[in-house]
Amino acid sequence: HNQQDPLHSNLALPLSNQSCQTTSVNYRNILCLPSPGSNHHHKKELKREKMVATTNDSSPSQSVIRGSSMSMFQRWAIAATALLLVINPVSGQEVGVSKEQCDELYSADAVVTSGCNKTACELNGYCTIHDTTYLKGKCCEHAGVNVNLLAFEPAGEWVPRLAEFKKCTGANVLLTYVEGGEDNMAQALLEDVGSNDDPNSGQGIYDAYIVQGPWVPQSYLGLKSLNNLIKANQDVIRFDDINSASRAAVTYGGSVVALPLDSDNIAAAYRQDLMNKYQEWYQDIYKEPLLPPNTIEEMVTISERINGQDHDGDGEPDWGFCLTPQTNYFQAFLAPIFTVNQKDASGSTGQNIFFDTDTFEPLIHNEGYKKAIEYYWRYLLASNCQTQTAEGVKCDRMSAFPTGKCFGVISMPGTMNNLLKEGGKYAPPPDKRQDQFLEKGEYFGRRIVFPGSTEVLNWDTKDYRLMKCTDKSCPRARTINGEVVNFSPFFAEGGEAYAINGKQSKETAVNAAWDLMAWFSELDVNLVPLGGTYRKSQTTPEAMEALAETWNNTVMAEDLNAVLLEYFKEPSDGGNPTQDFFVVGFSEYNEALHTSLHKEFLLASTDTEFGVFNMTDPSNSIKVGTPEFEERYDKFIAKLQQRYDEVNSRMTGGALQQLYNWREALDMEPKKTMDEICIDLLAAGAHEAFDRLDCIKLVNLADLCQFMKEEVESYQPGACAAPNNNAKIIAAVFGSVIGAILIGGLAYLMYRRYVTYLRIRKAHDQLMEATINESIRALHQLDYPLHLVRADEFVAEGKLVRHEVLRNTHKLTVLDSLADVDAFIAQGKHIVFYSHQWTSFTLPDPSNNQYQAMRVSLQELAKTNGWDESLKDVFVWVDYSSIPQANPSIQNLAIRSLAAYASSASYFIIVAPDTKHADLDNKCDLETYQLRMWCRAEQVCHSMRNGTERMYLALGGGNDLVPVQADFFRESLHVFDGQLTCCRLEHKGMSACDRQSLVVPLLGLYGELYRAAADGVKGGDAESLSSVKAFLDEIQKHQDSVFPPTFQRVMWRKNKKVTEEVTLFGDLIERMKHRIDHGQGFSYEEADAGGTESTKSSVTPFIRHGASDFLRHGSGVRHGSIAKSNVQVETAVGTLEDHIE
C-alpha cells in the first residue's frame, strides 16, 4: 500500500525475478508484473477469482476481467483492495512465483472442472496447511466429488476444516446433523447403513459418519473395513499410537470399522481452594490430613465429611463431590472392583462389568455389585442430588458446580474441561471460589485419576465373592501407603470416531472420505471437530506444553497429562481399562439400568415400592446396612434382572446371540460359535443357562450323544436311548406317500407361478411403454399455461410480487400451449427463466438481494444483445410470480410443467448472490443453490434442449452477468443427487416423492437428445452437435447416477415409518434407446398406438416431430399441440398392478 499515492500501490513497485504478489482476502487479486529492466512492455492483467470457503458442494464461480491497459477505475480497485489489507492484514499472504508460473496459474488449462485450481493449490501450499503432510500431492484429487457426512453434534471446527479440505482436494463435504442429536444417532446410523441381519437394508444416503462405539455393533457389517487403508497409511495413522480402549471400541471380528479421533473416559476432580480451606479443620476432627482420594472409599468418606460445610460463606450448608446421576458414572464405581486383569498373555480374560461371558447372566448377583451400589448411594447422599432432587429439579453437575457449592466432581473429559477451566462454561467464577486459600502457583480445579479399590471380585469363585487386593490377585494394581489399590478407568462410549459406508457409497466418495479422516488424524487435536486427546503421543511433555499454552494453564495441562498417562497404558505396560457394553441394544440395556437404579431405587421416594430417597428430609433417607435397605436392594436387583431379560428377548437371536456378540466385542479367545457356547454349557452342567439361552433350539442332543452321552443324559434322561426301527419303517412309508402328493402339487404350483410371471412381465412392459409414451407427450403439451411478467413491469415493481397479485392487476402474459410459446418467440419475444432458491420458509427473497441481481441481469442482457432498453419484448418467468401460490391443486399442475417451462425459455439465469437465510443461521449462495434437486432439474431441462450457450450466473455484489462454462452441466446433470424437502420430511402426508415427478420430463428430454444424435441433427451446426455429444457422453459414463434405476423412499403409513425400494427409471433409458435405434417413432401419435415398441425389432422410418434438434429458439422449432393422455402417474405412470390383466 502506497500511502502517499494509493493509485500506484503495487503498480509502482515492480517485483524482482518476474514475480507475482498474491494477496488473499475475500477476493484473490493477482498482478503479474515485469521485472526491473525488462525491455518488453508486458500487459498488466488483473484477474479476479472468487474464493469460496464453505462446507457446501458446488463449485465456486469464476469471473475474469481482462484489459490491455490499466484504467483509472482498475487502479482505484487495486488501491481499495490494498486498503482492505491494511485494515485486515491477518488475511493477507505473499507467495513468490515466477512470471511463467503466474501465467500458468491463470491459464485456461489450470482451472479444473469443478473450480479447483491445481496450480494455485500447489503454489500456495493448500495441501500442507497446519504443517501436515498427508494431503501433499493431492491437489484437486477429489475435484467435484461430493461426500455426505452425517454427524450428531455441531462443532466450531467443522467449517474451517472442511473449507481447507475442499481448497486442497476440491471435494465437497456436505455436513448434516441428525435431528435430536446424540440420542437419535444410533437409529440414524442403523437406518442408513442397514442392519447386520439384513444385507439389503440401509438407505445409503450418507457416505461417512461420526460414530461412537455403542452405535456400531448393529451395523458394523455395513461399514467399510479400514484395515487395508490403515496399513497402507500407517506412517500417518499410527494406529497403535491410539489408546487401546478406543481401538477396541471400533474393532469387530478383527476389522477396524471406524477411525478414532477422540476418547471418552471418566475422571474425578477436587477443589484445591477448598482442600486448603478445610485442611486444619479436617486434621483436627478426623486426625488425618485431607488429601486427594486414591480409593473410592476415600472419595466417598471425604465427600460425606465435607458435606454440610459452608464453602462460600453464605450461611447455607454445601455439598461434597457432585455428579449427574447417569449409568456411566455408576459404572465407573464398578470398574475398579470388577476389572482386575482385563487382558493377559492369551488375550481378553472376559472380565467386565456387564454380563458373564459364558452364560450371559448379568453380573449383578454378587458382592462386588452390591459394594459399588453402597458406595454410589453414599456418594449421592453427600452430593448435589440431596438438594436438587428434593427440590424436584434435575440433579446435574453442570448446574451445581458453577455455584461454588461442590467440593469436587466426576465427569467425562470435554465437560471436565469446562468445569475446571477459568471462564469455562460450567466453572465457578472467582466470586464463587475461595481463591484466598490458594498458595502461589496453585489452581482451584485439580483433575485426578478416578479412584481405585482395595477390594475386587474373585473371578475364580462361582459366585464372584469379594477379596482383598494383593500383588498376586491384582497384577495391575499399585501399592499406595501400604495398600494395594486396583485402578480401572472406565472408557464410557469410547469417544467419537469416523466411519465410512461400505455398502452403498461410490468409490470416489469413499476415497475422499478416507483422505479427510486420515488428514484429521494428523492434525493437532485442537483443530479436529469433536476431537479430543486420544493418542499416547499426545501425552508427551512437548504436547502438554503446547496444550498448556493453548489453555494458558500449566496446572490443568499437567493434571490431564497425569491422568491420560495412566489411562492410555497398554495392557502389556500395566494398563487395565474397562470397556463399555458395545453390543446391539446398548441404549436399551442402559435405559433398563437407569430406570431401575435411579428412577425406582436410589432417587425414588421412600413412599414407592423400593425407593430409598427421603424427599422431605434427604438426611433421613434409608441408609446402607439397614434391613430396610437390604430388602429394597433385593427388589431392585430382581427388577433389573427382569428388565435385562426383556431386552434380551427383543434382540434378534435372543440372549444367545447377544452373548456371542459380547464375546466378539471383547475379542475373547478362543473364538466360539453359538453351537460351541451351548455345548460347553452342557458339558459344564450349566443346565439353567442352557435353557435360558434356548440352546435346545440350536443343538441336536442325539448328535451329541456320540461323544458326551453322560452330559446329555444328565440334562435330558433318555435322550441317548436306542431308536425304535418300526417307527422308522412306518415313517418311511408315510413319507413316500406324502412325497408323491407334494411333487404333484409342486408341479401345479410351478405352472401357476409361470403363468403369473408372464402376466407380471406383460404388465411391466406395458407400464414401461406407457411411461415412455407419456414422456413423449410431455414434450408437446403443458399441464398448466405458462405465465410471464413483462420485463419493464417486473423492473417497475421493485421486488418479487406474488402470482395472485399480478394476476388480479392484469400484469401476466399467458401462453396456453408450447406451440404458443414457439410462436411467441418467433415474433421476436425473449423469455428469461430465473432459477433461484428461497431464502426463507415463507418468502422467496425477503432481503431483496436476489431481485436486485435479477433486475441488473435484465439490463445487462438488453445491453449485450442490443435489445430495446424499454424491455417491452422481454418477458420474465420466476416461480413466485409465475406459479399460483394460493391454490395447492393448481400449483401442483404448474409444478408438473416446470420442466417444460425451463426447457422453453430463451435465456436461463441462475440467481445466487450471497444471502443469509432469514429463518436459518446459514448463508445461501451458489453452493447451496446447487444442492437443491429442483434447481438442478431446471438447469438440466433447459440445457438438454438448448445447450448452455444462453445460460448465465447472476451472483450480485457488483458482479457482472457471467456465462456458465461449457461443462457447467456436468454436475447439474446429476439431478437426483440433489436434496429435496419432501425427503427431509420423510414424505409425511405425501403419496409420492418429488423424484418420481421428474421421470417423465427428463426421460422425454433424453429421448429427444438421443434421437437428435442418432438422426444427425438436421439443420444443426458443429457447436450443437458437439454439445449433444458432450451431454450423451456424460450420461453414458454415469447413467445409473444420472438416471437411477431405483431409490430408497421413506414413507409414513399408519404412524409407522417404512423404507421401501421404489422404481425410478428402471430400464426406461435402455427402452427409449431401443425404440429410437430401431426407428420405431418418437411422435406422440405413433407412441400412443400402444404395444411394447421398445422391445420389438422394426425398420419403420424414423419420424421427426416437435422440438427435435437440440436447437436454440428461433431455429424453427415447434412443440406441436397434442391431446392429453389419460395415463396415471405414480412411479412414472401408474403402478404395476394397474397393468396386470
Side-chain angles (χ1 to χ4, degrees):
H1 178 62
N2 189 327
Q3 296 188 20
Q4 285 72 37
D5 185 1
L7 291 180
H8 290 84
S9 296
N10 289 340
L11 288 180
L13 301 172
L15 305 173
S16 61
N17 299 323
Q18 295 186 333
S19 64
C20 299
Q21 179 163 316
T22 304
T23 307
S24 176
V25 286
N26 288 334
Y27 287 86
R28 180 176 296 282
N29 297 281
I30 298 185
L31 188 64
C32 298
L33 300 173
S35 62
S38 172
N39 295 324
H40 301 283
H41 297 285
H42 293 283
K43 293 180 180 179
K44 302 179 180 68
E45 181 172 77
L46 175 68
K47 299 187 178 183
R48 183 173 62 187
E49 176 186 350
K50 187 176 181 183
M51 304 305 293
V52 178
T54 74
T55 62
N56 295 315
D57 66 333
S58 179
S59 310
S61 63
Q62 298 185 0
S63 58
V64 175
I65 303 173
R66 288 188 172 91
S68 59
S69 62
M70 189 69 68
S71 68
M72 181 64 70
F73 174 79
Q74 290 169 319
R75 291 176 182 273
W76 273 110
I78 293 174
T81 301
L83 183 59
L84 284 174
L85 289 175
V86 173
I87 295 171
N88 185 19
V90 174
S91 62
Q93 60 176 339
E94 289 191 0
V95 181
V97 296
S98 69
K99 182 67 173 68
E100 290 74 15
Q101 288 174 317
C102 188
D103 291 338
E104 180 186 359
L105 184 60
Y106 284 93
S107 69
D109 294 337
V111 180
V112 177
T113 301
S114 294
C116 185
N117 190 320
K118 186 174 183 179
T119 310
C121 172
E122 292 171 346
L123 291 174
N124 290 286
Y126 295 158
C127 292
T128 54
I129 191 170
H130 304 303
D131 296 322
T132 57
T133 60
Y134 176 78
L135 294 178
K136 187 176 182 180
K138 292 182 180 286
C139 277
C140 301
E141 185 163 307
H142 305 302
V145 174
N146 289 336
V147 178
N148 292 298
L149 175 63
L150 185 63
F152 61 90
E153 181 180 352
E157 295 80 12
W158 279 121
V159 172
R161 295 299 85 75
L162 297 186
E164 290 162 357
F165 185 72
K166 178 177 181 178
K167 206 172 180 182
C168 164
T169 67
N172 303 300
V173 181
L174 315 177
L175 181 64
T176 301
Y177 294 119
V178 171
E179 188 173 351
E182 184 172 348
D183 293 340
N184 293 339
M185 185 65 190
Q187 183 62 28
L189 184 70
L190 176 62
E191 291 176 357
D192 197 69
V193 177
S195 167
N196 293 335
D197 301 322
D198 184 3
N200 296 318
S201 61
Q203 299 168 357
I205 296 172
Y206 300 96
D207 303 302
Y209 314 87
I210 311 301
V211 301
Q212 291 184 349
W215 309 335
V216 175
Q218 57 193 350
S219 304
Y220 76 88
L221 290 177
L223 296 175
K224 182 174 179 61
S225 173
L226 304 179
N227 292 30
N228 291 335
L229 290 169
I230 291 172
K231 184 177 180 180
N233 298 279
Q234 185 61 13
D235 57 327
V236 173
I237 304 301
R238 296 172 294 124
F239 194 65
D240 290 337
D241 185 45
I242 299 171
N243 74 86
S244 61
S246 293
R247 298 199 307 267
V250 296
T251 303
Y252 292 85
S255 290
V256 179
V257 296
L259 189 62
L261 291 171
D262 181 34
S263 175
D264 280 342
N265 47 70
I266 295 174
Y270 65 90
R271 292 264 303 277
Q272 184 69 62
D273 56 333
L274 296 181
M275 183 79 76
N276 293 355
K277 176 180 179 178
Y278 293 123
Q279 193 62 246
E280 291 184 11
W281 168 81
Y282 196 95
Q283 179 72 44
D284 290 341
I285 298 297
Y286 299 108
K287 309 305 179 186
E288 59 184 293
L290 179 58
L291 300 171
N294 290 308
T295 67
I296 296 175
E297 184 172 8
E298 288 175 0
M299 178 174 66
V300 171
T301 299
I302 291 172
S303 192
E304 289 174 326
R305 291 173 175 178
I306 294 293
N307 179 49
Q309 298 300 311
D310 184 5
H311 302 337
D312 53 9
D314 64 356
E316 297 293 328
D318 296 324
W319 312 310
F321 282 81
C322 290
L323 86 164
T324 303
Q326 298 173 176
T327 56
N328 55 341
Y329 295 127
F330 164 64
Q331 287 156 350
F333 283 69
L334 288 170
I337 299 174
F338 278 57
T339 307
V340 180
N341 187 21
Q342 202 268 332
K343 282 192 176 182
D344 58 20
S346 63
S348 174
T349 62
Q351 294 181 7
N352 70 92
I353 63 175
F354 299 102
F355 289 85
D356 187 286
T357 55
D358 291 323
T359 66
F360 208 61
E361 182 73 10
L363 295 172
I364 60 178
H365 306 284
N366 59 73
E367 293 177 344
Y369 198 86
K370 185 177 182 182
K371 174 66 70 173
I373 289 284
E374 291 173 348
Y375 281 147
Y376 187 63
W377 175 224
R378 289 170 56 194
Y379 184 106
L380 282 173
L381 279 179
S383 74
N384 49 309
C385 290
Q386 63 183 300
T387 302
Q388 292 179 317
T389 301
E391 291 175 351
V393 299
K394 179 184 179 183
C395 179
D396 185 7
R397 70 199 186 285
M398 291 182 285
S399 62
F401 203 74
T403 66
K405 294 180 175 296
C406 298
F407 179 81
V409 69
I410 57 177
S411 187
M412 301 271 268
T415 304
M416 185 70 88
N417 292 340
N418 277 308
L419 290 164
L420 303 182
K421 188 166 58 176
E422 189 67 63
K425 187 175 181 180
Y426 311 117
D431 62 339
K432 298 292 183 180
R433 304 197 304 252
Q434 306 298 309
D435 287 358
Q436 67 272 21
F437 293 100
L438 293 175
E439 301 290 338
K440 184 178 180 180
E442 289 184 333
Y443 183 68
F444 87 91
R446 302 299 304 275
R447 185 185 331 230
I448 57 174
V449 169
F450 193 90
S453 176
T454 57
E455 291 183 291
V456 295
L457 285 191
N458 185 346
W459 289 90
D460 294 329
T461 57
K462 183 177 181 181
D463 51 359
Y464 302 138
R465 291 187 173 277
L466 276 176
M467 65 178 178
K468 194 71 174 176
C469 208
T470 65
D471 292 338
K472 183 177 180 180
S473 62
C474 300
R476 303 183 185 281
R478 286 185 286 154
T479 301
I480 303 175
N481 298 327
E483 286 192 303
V484 181
V485 181
N486 184 64
F487 292 88
S488 182
F490 180 51
F491 282 75
E493 300 176 357
E496 281 70 33
Y498 290 62
I500 296 175
N501 189 324
K503 288 167 64 175
Q504 299 101 335
S505 292
K506 300 175 184 176
E507 184 176 358
T508 54
V510 168
N511 293 337
W514 168 254
D515 280 349
L516 177 69
M517 293 160 50
W519 179 54
F520 275 2
S521 72
E522 192 183 17
L523 286 172
D524 182 273
V525 67
N526 296 304
L527 298 174
V528 179
L530 304 178
T533 306
Y534 65 104
R535 290 182 176 275
K536 289 173 282 187
S537 60
Q538 292 166 345
T539 61
T540 62
E542 296 78 11
M544 284 300 110
E545 286 176 11
L547 184 60
E549 184 175 352
T550 300
W551 283 351
N552 193 28
N553 192 318
T554 301
V555 174
M556 269 192 70
E558 290 175 347
D559 286 348
L560 175 62
N561 193 42
V563 169
L564 295 184
L565 282 173
E566 180 67 26
Y567 284 17
F568 288 359
K569 282 181 180 178
E570 290 290 326
S572 57
D573 298 325
N576 191 36
T578 293
Q579 179 176 311
D580 211 335
F581 190 55
F582 298 144
V583 299
V584 178
F586 169 85
S587 59
E588 294 187 58
Y589 289 106
N590 244 3
E591 183 57 32
L593 176 59
H594 178 63
T595 299
S596 298
L597 179 63
H598 295 122
K599 296 180 181 179
E600 295 179 345
F601 182 36
L602 297 183
L603 295 180
S605 171
T606 52
D607 297 331
T608 60
E609 182 183 2
F610 51 92
V612 293
F613 189 87
N614 190 319
M615 293 290 181
T616 305
D617 182 6
S619 64
N620 284 325
S621 296
I622 298 174
K623 300 296 192 299
V624 168
T626 64
E628 195 171 5
F629 183 87
E630 298 295 318
E631 178 185 351
R632 298 191 177 214
Y633 174 82
D634 290 339
K635 290 182 178 180
F636 151 70
I637 291 295
K639 190 65 176 180
L640 181 57
Q641 174 75 61
Q642 177 187 333
R643 283 204 167 92
Y644 279 156
D645 289 342
E646 290 171 354
V647 175
N648 288 338
S649 68
R650 293 195 294 270
M651 298 295 109
T652 302
L656 179 58
Q657 180 67 57
Q658 293 296 87
L659 172 56
Y660 175 83
N661 294 341
W662 185 218
R663 289 178 61 88
E664 284 291 296
L666 290 172
D667 197 26
M668 290 194 63
E669 295 290 347
K671 301 293 183 186
K672 290 183 182 181
T673 64
M674 286 188 283
D675 295 59
E676 291 170 335
I677 291 173
C678 289
I679 292 171
D680 285 351
L681 288 175
L682 203 60
H687 298 165
E688 182 182 349
F690 186 90
D691 289 336
R692 188 167 46 79
L693 296 177
D694 278 337
C695 284
I696 194 64
K697 296 180 180 178
L698 190 66
V699 300
N700 188 318
L701 295 181
D703 292 341
L704 298 180
C705 289
Q706 299 178 30
F707 58 91
M708 50 186 304
K709 180 178 179 180
E710 183 178 341
E711 289 83 356
V712 172
E713 284 289 318
S714 173
Y715 173 73
Q716 190 178 97
C720 296
N724 189 321
N725 291 332
N726 291 333
K728 282 187 175 182
I729 295 171
I730 294 172
V733 173
F734 181 74
S736 299
V737 174
I738 295 299
I741 295 173
L742 289 176
I743 291 172
L746 182 61
Y748 177 76
L749 179 62
M750 290 176 65
Y751 169 75
R752 295 303 306 165
R753 286 178 64 86
Y754 178 69
V755 172
T756 302
Y757 163 75
L758 292 178
R759 292 174 59 211
I760 293 174
R761 179 176 176 179
K762 180 180 178 182
H764 174 75
D765 287 342
Q766 291 175 341
L767 176 60
M768 295 298 101
E769 292 302 319
T771 304
I772 293 176
N773 296 341
E774 172 69 3
S775 72
I776 298 171
R777 182 206 65 81
L779 291 172
H780 308 88
Q781 185 168 323
L782 291 174
D783 288 326
Y784 187 77
L786 176 62
H787 288 68
L788 304 170
V789 187
R790 205 168 70 190
D792 56 342
E793 293 181 332
F794 178 82
V795 171
E797 292 292 346
K799 62 179 181 180
L800 295 182
V801 179
R802 186 181 174 95
H803 173 84
E804 286 74 16
V805 174
L806 293 173
R807 179 195 63 195
N808 295 340
T809 54
H810 310 290
K811 293 181 179 179
L812 290 173
T813 298
V814 181
L815 302 175
D816 292 307
S817 68
L818 291 173
D820 292 342
V821 175
D822 287 326
F824 187 70
I825 292 172
Q827 294 172 6
K829 308 302 183 184
H830 310 286
I831 299 176
V832 180
F833 186 104
Y834 282 116
S835 179
H836 72 119
Q837 66 179 125
W838 284 36
T839 56
S840 85
F841 293 145
T842 55
L843 292 172
D845 184 32
S847 66
N848 222 32
N849 286 351
Q850 294 185 351
Y851 169 80
Q852 293 300 336
M854 295 175 190
R855 182 184 58 78
V856 171
S857 70
L858 279 173
Q859 294 169 344
E860 291 193 24
L861 268 182
K863 183 178 179 181
T864 301
N865 293 303
W867 297 342
D868 189 329
E869 292 184 1
S870 68
L871 300 177
K872 62 183 178 62
D873 290 328
V874 183
F875 292 79
V876 168
W877 188 98
V878 62
D879 53 2
Y880 190 59
S881 302
S882 301
I883 290 181
Q885 304 295 313
N887 188 319
S889 298
I890 299 177
Q891 185 183 67
N892 287 335
L893 287 175
I895 292 174
R896 281 181 52 162
S897 300
L898 193 57
Y901 298 158
S903 65
S904 302
S906 318
Y907 294 85
F908 187 98
I909 300 179
I910 296 168
V911 182
D914 290 356
T915 305
K916 185 177 180 180
H917 195 284
D919 300 308
L920 301 171
D921 189 22
N922 65 323
K923 183 176 69 172
C924 297
D925 54 15
L926 182 60
E927 284 72 24
T928 60
Y929 166 89
Q930 282 287 68
L931 284 173
R932 305 299 300 166
M933 192 196 81
W934 278 110
C935 295
R936 294 185 180 195
E938 290 168 357
Q939 296 172 54
V940 170
C941 289
H942 180 84
S943 59
M944 283 181 72
R945 170 168 274 158
N946 304 284
T948 58
E949 180 183 349
R950 293 181 178 180
M951 293 181 68
Y952 296 88
L953 300 175
L955 302 179
N959 289 306
D960 297 332
L961 191 65
V962 182
V964 301
Q965 296 179 1
D967 60 358
F968 185 80
F969 73 91
R970 294 186 189 277
E971 181 176 7
S972 305
L973 200 56
H974 296 264
V975 171
F976 297 95
D977 288 343
Q979 298 176 355
L980 281 170
T981 301
C982 66
C983 294
R984 179 174 59 82
L985 299 177
E986 297 181 331
H987 307 98
K988 293 179 181 177
M990 307 172 196
S991 60
C993 175
D994 282 353
R995 282 181 170 82
Q996 295 164 274
S997 65
L998 283 172
V999 170
V1000 166
L1002 291 183
L1003 178 63
L1005 287 168
Y1006 172 78
E1008 185 179 54
L1009 193 67
Y1010 189 81
R1011 189 207 61 174
D1015 196 46
V1017 195
K1018 288 195 175 182
D1021 55 21
E1023 182 184 351
S1024 64
L1025 282 168
S1026 173
S1027 298
V1028 170
K1029 186 177 185 301
F1031 268 86
L1032 292 177
D1033 286 348
E1034 185 69 15
I1035 291 172
Q1036 183 66 31
K1037 290 178 187 175
H1038 310 286
Q1039 182 170 309
D1040 283 350
S1041 174
V1042 176
F1043 298 121
T1046 62
F1047 76 103
Q1048 295 289 322
R1049 182 175 67 183
V1050 178
M1051 301 286 285
W1052 286 80
R1053 296 191 178 95
K1054 298 180 180 180
N1055 295 322
K1056 185 177 180 181
K1057 185 175 179 180
V1058 179
T1059 301
E1060 54 194 358
E1061 186 172 29
V1062 179
T1063 298
L1064 199 60
F1065 283 89
D1067 61 352
L1068 285 169
I1069 298 301
E1070 298 306 320
R1071 286 173 175 266
M1072 179 67 84
K1073 289 193 287 189
H1074 186 278
R1075 174 180 287 196
I1076 294 171
D1077 288 342
H1078 291 80
Q1080 292 167 332
F1082 196 64
S1083 69
Y1084 176 66
E1085 294 91 343
E1086 198 173 334
D1088 200 37
T1092 58
E1093 297 165 357
S1094 64
T1095 56
K1096 299 175 184 176
S1097 177
S1098 174
V1099 290
T1100 304
F1102 186 61
I1103 298 176
R1104 299 177 190 85
H1105 179 81
S1108 61
D1109 302 328
F1110 189 87
L1111 302 172
R1112 281 75 177 160
H1113 285 292
S1115 301
V1117 180
R1118 295 292 180 269
H1119 291 90
S1121 180
I1122 306 300
K1124 186 176 181 179
S1125 73
N1126 295 317
V1127 180
Q1128 300 297 317
V1129 177
E1130 198 282 323
T1131 301
V1133 287
T1135 64
L1136 191 61
E1137 289 76 7
D1138 297 335
H1139 296 265
I1140 297 178
E1141 297 176 353

